[in-house]
Amino acid sequence: MSDPNIPTEPPDPIRRGFGLKDQVRAERREAYYSPLIEKIRQAGNRWRIGGIELRLAREFGFCYGVDKAIDFAYETHRRFPDRRIFLTTEIIHNPRVNQRLIEMGVHFLGGQYAGRYGIEDVTAEDVVFLPAFGYEVQLLERLRGIGCITVDGTCGSVVHVWKRVERYAREGLTSIIHGKWRHEETVATASHVAAEGGKYLVIFDEPEATMVCDFIRTGEGSQLLAEKFRRAMSPDFDFSRDLERIGVANQTTMLSSESLAIAGMLRSALEARYGSEGIEDRFRMFETICTATQERQDAVQEMMADPPDLMLIVGGFNSSNTGHLCEIAAHHCPSYHIEEVDCLISPERIRHKPAGGGAAIETKGWLPARRPLSIGITAGASTPNRVVGEVIERLASWEEK
Ligand code: SF4
């Protein structure tokens, strides 16, 4: 009898778990759970180590989308013990989680963990897992053509963005996506716009939005823009034609205050060019920052009402939402985005990614010697509690000497 969990023809992605959550729980807990974090949470998110007071953000760590994707990947691994399992790219932006999947025998087809296999090696006998960020439409079509089993770990909040931009495309609006043009989620979102026959332009920050708004107001400088945004727009994007009616959406993990500011700038520019009458037809905005990102940003903002002496923000260096948590905190106190416990090299030296981006650097003299000292801690939506717990244990090992 055929397995009802595995579609036959056409091979649509499997989007529901296999009912094996209980069977993978222990394995998952072993990899990501931290009893210390549990203890600190129960103690009201405050913890004392010698002269250091630790303050944990009210919300941090794994979000619902990451939880679901990891469960689903573990279940897939359990469900298909005799098949090769591939991930199209990182399942989420966290080195610990991706390394663990490699140890389990999962192969990566793309991204920084790509090994010896490419998509051309995938056969109908294989299983391909699509990560939490989603997938490009063309990639799914190719997998369908191969006829392999495809398991879709895309977060529901990302699907929500796709629905929004697809609607913009059907209504003839150009999608302006506030995001990073090379981020997996935004690449996938852009492909969904294109698949509906729509146009898109990806804007990263307010300075880029200012350039676009200046063009909308004056109609001048399209060549400069075409060069600047060449990798961040539809292949046949025409600035003079495609910015008359726009709909704004965001990569789910952007800074919400910046997304709102950019939307406001674009709306004002359209009003300046075409007048306020009919603006509802020319401009749409739907904030698609996901709830988990928003809650983690809000929790850091709350902590900054009474800032700690310094802040540690734990998460993958390529994790967009973690980087934004660091940006928020950095306005109020010295803030260090660290990827793993090894980034805490010594009480003297720390390896971290500076707020606002750039490559990881080493900073000396990061941990003040004075006591009492307060340290705030938060973590991005893809960071296991186990990693945060290890960071606290390392601080404790120095303090208790
Ligand atoms: S950060 Fe948001 S969009 Fe991304 S996986 Fe988590 S819940 Fe989903």
Side-chain angles (χ1 to χ4, degrees), residues 42-62:
Q42 280 167 12
N45 289 328
R46 293 199 177 224
W47 198 248
R48 186 162 287 284
I49 309 169
I52 295 180
E53 186 200 35
L54 290 179
R55 292 162 53 188
L56 283 187
R58 181 177 47 77
E59 291 287 346
F60 67 89
F62 279 1

PDB file of all heavy atoms in Angstrom, residues 42-62:
ATOM      1  N   GLN A  42      13.461  30.456  34.915  1.00  0.00           N
ATOM      2  CA  GLN A  42      12.572  30.262  36.067  1.00  0.00           C
ATOM      3  C   GLN A  42      12.884  31.263  37.182  1.00  0.00           C
ATOM      4  O   GLN A  42      12.038  31.583  38.002  1.00  0.00           O
ATOM      5  CB  GLN A  42      12.690  28.829  36.588  1.00  0.00           C
ATOM      6  CG  GLN A  42      11.871  27.870  35.736  1.00  0.00           C
ATOM      7  CD  GLN A  42      12.188  26.423  36.012  1.00  0.00           C
ATOM      8  OE1 GLN A  42      12.855  26.087  36.984  1.00  0.00           O
ATOM      9  NE2 GLN A  42      11.735  25.550  35.128  1.00  0.00           N
ATOM     10  N   ALA A  43      14.125  31.748  37.195  1.00  0.00           N
ATOM     11  CA  ALA A  43      14.521  32.721  38.225  1.00  0.00           C
ATOM     12  C   ALA A  43      14.208  34.151  37.779  1.00  0.00           C
ATOM     13  O   ALA A  43      14.729  35.110  38.350  1.00  0.00           O
ATOM     14  CB  ALA A  43      16.011  32.562  38.514  1.00  0.00           C
ATOM     15  N   GLY A  44      13.396  34.320  36.749  1.00  0.00           N
ATOM     16  CA  GLY A  44      12.988  35.653  36.309  1.00  0.00           C
ATOM     17  C   GLY A  44      13.985  36.306  35.365  1.00  0.00           C
ATOM     18  O   GLY A  44      14.072  37.537  35.286  1.00  0.00           O
ATOM     19  N   ASN A  45      14.798  35.510  34.668  1.00  0.00           N
ATOM     20  CA  ASN A  45      15.748  35.990  33.659  1.00  0.00           C
ATOM     21  C   ASN A  45      16.916  36.777  34.238  1.00  0.00           C
ATOM     22  O   ASN A  45      17.594  37.507  33.517  1.00  0.00           O
ATOM     23  CB  ASN A  45      15.041  36.840  32.586  1.00  0.00           C
ATOM     24  CG  ASN A  45      14.168  35.983  31.695  1.00  0.00           C
ATOM     25  OD1 ASN A  45      14.480  34.824  31.436  1.00  0.00           O
ATOM     26  ND2 ASN A  45      13.056  36.536  31.256  1.00  0.00           N
ATOM     27  N   ARG A  46      17.136  36.654  35.556  1.00  0.00           N
ATOM     28  CA  ARG A  46      18.317  37.311  36.159  1.00  0.00           C
ATOM     29  C   ARG A  46      19.145  36.260  36.873  1.00  0.00           C
ATOM     30  O   ARG A  46      18.590  35.315  37.451  1.00  0.00           O
ATOM     31  CB  ARG A  46      17.874  38.387  37.143  1.00  0.00           C
ATOM     32  CG  ARG A  46      17.186  39.519  36.398  1.00  0.00           C
ATOM     33  CD  ARG A  46      17.142  40.783  37.223  1.00  0.00           C
ATOM     34  NE  ARG A  46      16.530  41.809  36.388  1.00  0.00           N
ATOM     35  CZ  ARG A  46      16.981  43.047  36.287  1.00  0.00           C
ATOM     36  NH1 ARG A  46      18.047  43.423  36.940  1.00  0.00           N
ATOM     37  NH2 ARG A  46      16.360  43.931  35.521  1.00  0.00           N
ATOM     38  N   TRP A  47      20.454  36.453  36.876  1.00  0.00           N
ATOM     39  CA  TRP A  47      21.354  35.439  37.426  1.00  0.00           C
ATOM     40  C   TRP A  47      22.610  36.131  37.910  1.00  0.00           C
ATOM     41  O   TRP A  47      23.094  37.036  37.246  1.00  0.00           O
ATOM     42  CB  TRP A  47      21.688  34.433  36.320  1.00  0.00           C
ATOM     43  CG  TRP A  47      22.233  33.120  36.764  1.00  0.00           C
ATOM     44  CD1 TRP A  47      23.498  32.653  36.565  1.00  0.00           C
ATOM     45  CD2 TRP A  47      21.517  32.090  37.439  1.00  0.00           C
ATOM     46  NE1 TRP A  47      23.613  31.387  37.078  1.00  0.00           N
ATOM     47  CE2 TRP A  47      22.413  31.014  37.617  1.00  0.00           C
ATOM     48  CE3 TRP A  47      20.211  31.968  37.924  1.00  0.00           C
ATOM     49  CZ2 TRP A  47      22.053  29.831  38.260  1.00  0.00           C
ATOM     50  CZ3 TRP A  47      19.850  30.788  38.547  1.00  0.00           C
ATOM     51  CH2 TRP A  47      20.750  29.743  38.722  1.00  0.00           C
ATOM     52  N   ARG A  48      23.099  35.723  39.044  1.00  0.00           N
ATOM     53  CA  ARG A  48      24.311  36.374  39.552  1.00  0.00           C
ATOM     54  C   ARG A  48      25.490  35.407  39.503  1.00  0.00           C
ATOM     55  O   ARG A  48      25.364  34.249  39.911  1.00  0.00           O
ATOM     56  CB  ARG A  48      24.065  36.857  40.991  1.00  0.00           C
ATOM     57  CG  ARG A  48      25.208  37.664  41.555  1.00  0.00           C
ATOM     58  CD  ARG A  48      24.785  38.472  42.762  1.00  0.00           C
ATOM     59  NE  ARG A  48      23.949  39.609  42.417  1.00  0.00           N
ATOM     60  CZ  ARG A  48      24.381  40.746  41.886  1.00  0.00           C
ATOM     61  NH1 ARG A  48      25.671  40.897  41.599  1.00  0.00           N
ATOM     62  NH2 ARG A  48      23.563  41.739  41.623  1.00  0.00           N
ATOM     63  N   ILE A  49      26.580  35.886  38.953  1.00  0.00           N
ATOM     64  CA  ILE A  49      27.822  35.101  38.977  1.00  0.00           C
ATOM     65  C   ILE A  49      28.858  36.006  39.618  1.00  0.00           C
ATOM     66  O   ILE A  49      29.334  36.954  38.977  1.00  0.00           O
ATOM     67  CB  ILE A  49      28.335  34.746  37.567  1.00  0.00           C
ATOM     68  CG1 ILE A  49      27.243  34.127  36.712  1.00  0.00           C
ATOM     69  CG2 ILE A  49      29.530  33.838  37.633  1.00  0.00           C
ATOM     70  CD1 ILE A  49      27.645  34.014  35.246  1.00  0.00           C
ATOM     71  N   GLY A  50      29.221  35.732  40.853  1.00  0.00           N
ATOM     72  CA  GLY A  50      30.178  36.603  41.553  1.00  0.00           C
ATOM     73  C   GLY A  50      29.692  38.048  41.490  1.00  0.00           C
ATOM     74  O   GLY A  50      28.551  38.349  41.867  1.00  0.00           O
ATOM     75  N   GLY A  51      30.529  38.930  40.958  1.00  0.00           N
ATOM     76  CA  GLY A  51      30.139  40.342  40.895  1.00  0.00           C
ATOM     77  C   GLY A  51      29.405  40.711  39.608  1.00  0.00           C
ATOM     78  O   GLY A  51      29.181  41.879  39.315  1.00  0.00           O
ATOM     79  N   ILE A  52      29.055  39.698  38.803  1.00  0.00           N
ATOM     80  CA  ILE A  52      28.359  39.986  37.540  1.00  0.00           C
ATOM     81  C   ILE A  52      26.883  39.654  37.665  1.00  0.00           C
ATOM     82  O   ILE A  52      26.510  38.560  38.120  1.00  0.00           O
ATOM     83  CB  ILE A  52      28.963  39.158  36.377  1.00  0.00           C
ATOM     84  CG1 ILE A  52      30.406  39.572  36.109  1.00  0.00           C
ATOM     85  CG2 ILE A  52      28.121  39.301  35.111  1.00  0.00           C
ATOM     86  CD1 ILE A  52      31.077  38.805  34.982  1.00  0.00           C
ATOM     87  N   GLU A  53      26.063  40.615  37.282  1.00  0.00           N
ATOM     88  CA  GLU A  53      24.633  40.314  37.202  1.00  0.00           C
ATOM     89  C   GLU A  53      24.286  40.082  35.727  1.00  0.00           C
ATOM     90  O   GLU A  53      24.500  40.967  34.892  1.00  0.00           O
ATOM     91  CB  GLU A  53      23.796  41.463  37.735  1.00  0.00           C
ATOM     92  CG  GLU A  53      22.343  41.059  37.785  1.00  0.00           C
ATOM     93  CD  GLU A  53      21.358  42.223  37.824  1.00  0.00           C
ATOM     94  OE1 GLU A  53      21.630  43.265  37.199  1.00  0.00           O
ATOM     95  OE2 GLU A  53      20.317  42.060  38.462  1.00  0.00           O
ATOM     96  N   LEU A  54      23.767  38.888  35.423  1.00  0.00           N
ATOM     97  CA  LEU A  54      23.355  38.590  34.050  1.00  0.00           C
ATOM     98  C   LEU A  54      21.877  38.883  33.907  1.00  0.00           C
ATOM     99  O   LEU A  54      21.078  38.552  34.778  1.00  0.00           O
ATOM    100  CB  LEU A  54      23.564  37.110  33.737  1.00  0.00           C
ATOM    101  CG  LEU A  54      24.996  36.619  33.604  1.00  0.00           C
ATOM    102  CD1 LEU A  54      24.993  35.129  33.324  1.00  0.00           C
ATOM    103  CD2 LEU A  54      25.699  37.346  32.473  1.00  0.00           C
ATOM    104  N   ARG A  55      21.549  39.504  32.787  1.00  0.00           N
ATOM    105  CA  ARG A  55      20.122  39.760  32.503  1.00  0.00           C
ATOM    106  C   ARG A  55      19.796  39.158  31.149  1.00  0.00           C
ATOM    107  O   ARG A  55      20.370  39.562  30.134  1.00  0.00           O
ATOM    108  CB  ARG A  55      19.860  41.267  32.503  1.00  0.00           C
ATOM    109  CG  ARG A  55      20.008  41.875  33.891  1.00  0.00           C
ATOM    110  CD  ARG A  55      20.180  43.382  33.823  1.00  0.00           C
ATOM    111  NE  ARG A  55      19.137  44.026  33.056  1.00  0.00           N
ATOM    112  CZ  ARG A  55      19.144  45.319  32.724  1.00  0.00           C
ATOM    113  NH1 ARG A  55      20.147  46.093  33.107  1.00  0.00           N
ATOM    114  NH2 ARG A  55      18.159  45.831  32.034  1.00  0.00           N
ATOM    115  N   LEU A  56      18.888  38.222  31.139  1.00  0.00           N
ATOM    116  CA  LEU A  56      18.469  37.614  29.865  1.00  0.00           C
ATOM    117  C   LEU A  56      17.280  38.378  29.317  1.00  0.00           C
ATOM    118  O   LEU A  56      16.382  38.772  30.070  1.00  0.00           O
ATOM    119  CB  LEU A  56      18.016  36.165  30.087  1.00  0.00           C
ATOM    120  CG  LEU A  56      19.064  35.071  30.286  1.00  0.00           C
ATOM    121  CD1 LEU A  56      18.384  33.715  30.316  1.00  0.00           C
ATOM    122  CD2 LEU A  56      20.068  35.098  29.149  1.00  0.00           C
ATOM    123  N   ALA A  57      17.257  38.570  28.008  1.00  0.00           N
ATOM    124  CA  ALA A  57      16.103  39.237  27.387  1.00  0.00           C
ATOM    125  C   ALA A  57      14.843  38.385  27.605  1.00  0.00           C
ATOM    126  O   ALA A  57      14.932  37.167  27.747  1.00  0.00           O
ATOM    127  CB  ALA A  57      16.363  39.421  25.903  1.00  0.00           C
ATOM    128  N   ARG A  58      13.719  39.053  27.640  1.00  0.00           N
ATOM    129  CA  ARG A  58      12.437  38.353  27.867  1.00  0.00           C
ATOM    130  C   ARG A  58      12.165  37.313  26.779  1.00  0.00           C
ATOM    131  O   ARG A  58      11.599  36.256  27.040  1.00  0.00           O
ATOM    132  CB  ARG A  58      11.326  39.417  27.901  1.00  0.00           C
ATOM    133  CG  ARG A  58       9.943  38.926  28.151  1.00  0.00           C
ATOM    134  CD  ARG A  58       8.967  40.084  28.243  1.00  0.00           C
ATOM    135  NE  ARG A  58       9.101  41.070  27.168  1.00  0.00           N
ATOM    136  CZ  ARG A  58       8.651  40.910  25.923  1.00  0.00           C
ATOM    137  NH1 ARG A  58       8.049  39.808  25.567  1.00  0.00           N
ATOM    138  NH2 ARG A  58       8.802  41.873  25.015  1.00  0.00           N
ATOM    139  N   GLU A  59      12.549  37.616  25.546  1.00  0.00           N
ATOM    140  CA  GLU A  59      12.368  36.669  24.429  1.00  0.00           C
ATOM    141  C   GLU A  59      13.693  36.547  23.690  1.00  0.00           C
ATOM    142  O   GLU A  59      14.296  37.567  23.336  1.00  0.00           O
ATOM    143  CB  GLU A  59      11.335  37.197  23.429  1.00  0.00           C
ATOM    144  CG  GLU A  59       9.911  37.227  23.918  1.00  0.00           C
ATOM    145  CD  GLU A  59       9.280  35.852  24.004  1.00  0.00           C
ATOM    146  OE1 GLU A  59       9.854  34.896  23.434  1.00  0.00           O
ATOM    147  OE2 GLU A  59       8.235  35.740  24.667  1.00  0.00           O
ATOM    148  N   PHE A  60      14.116  35.355  23.453  1.00  0.00           N
ATOM    149  CA  PHE A  60      15.322  35.148  22.636  1.00  0.00           C
ATOM    150  C   PHE A  60      15.336  33.701  22.179  1.00  0.00           C
ATOM    151  O   PHE A  60      14.581  32.853  22.661  1.00  0.00           O
ATOM    152  CB  PHE A  60      16.597  35.474  23.433  1.00  0.00           C
ATOM    153  CG  PHE A  60      16.867  34.532  24.568  1.00  0.00           C
ATOM    154  CD1 PHE A  60      17.615  33.385  24.377  1.00  0.00           C
ATOM    155  CD2 PHE A  60      16.347  34.781  25.829  1.00  0.00           C
ATOM    156  CE1 PHE A  60      17.863  32.503  25.418  1.00  0.00           C
ATOM    157  CE2 PHE A  60      16.578  33.905  26.874  1.00  0.00           C
ATOM    158  CZ  PHE A  60      17.338  32.759  26.671  1.00  0.00           C
ATOM    159  N   GLY A  61      16.233  33.415  21.248  1.00  0.00           N
ATOM    160  CA  GLY A  61      16.440  32.027  20.821  1.00  0.00           C
ATOM    161  C   GLY A  61      15.374  31.524  19.867  1.00  0.00           C
ATOM    162  O   GLY A  61      14.590  32.310  19.308  1.00  0.00           O
ATOM    163  N   PHE A  62      15.395  30.205  19.659  1.00  0.00           N
ATOM    164  CA  PHE A  62      14.566  29.566  18.626  1.00  0.00           C
ATOM    165  C   PHE A  62      13.146  30.144  18.525  1.00  0.00           C
ATOM    166  O   PHE A  62      12.429  30.257  19.517  1.00  0.00           O
ATOM    167  CB  PHE A  62      14.428  28.070  18.921  1.00  0.00           C
ATOM    168  CG  PHE A  62      15.603  27.231  18.477  1.00  0.00           C
ATOM    169  CD1 PHE A  62      16.709  27.810  17.866  1.00  0.00           C
ATOM    170  CD2 PHE A  62      15.594  25.854  18.666  1.00  0.00           C
ATOM    171  CE1 PHE A  62      17.792  27.030  17.456  1.00  0.00           C
ATOM    172  CE2 PHE A  62      16.675  25.070  18.272  1.00  0.00           C
ATOM    173  CZ  PHE A  62      17.769  25.656  17.668  1.00  0.00           C
TER     174      PHE A  62
END
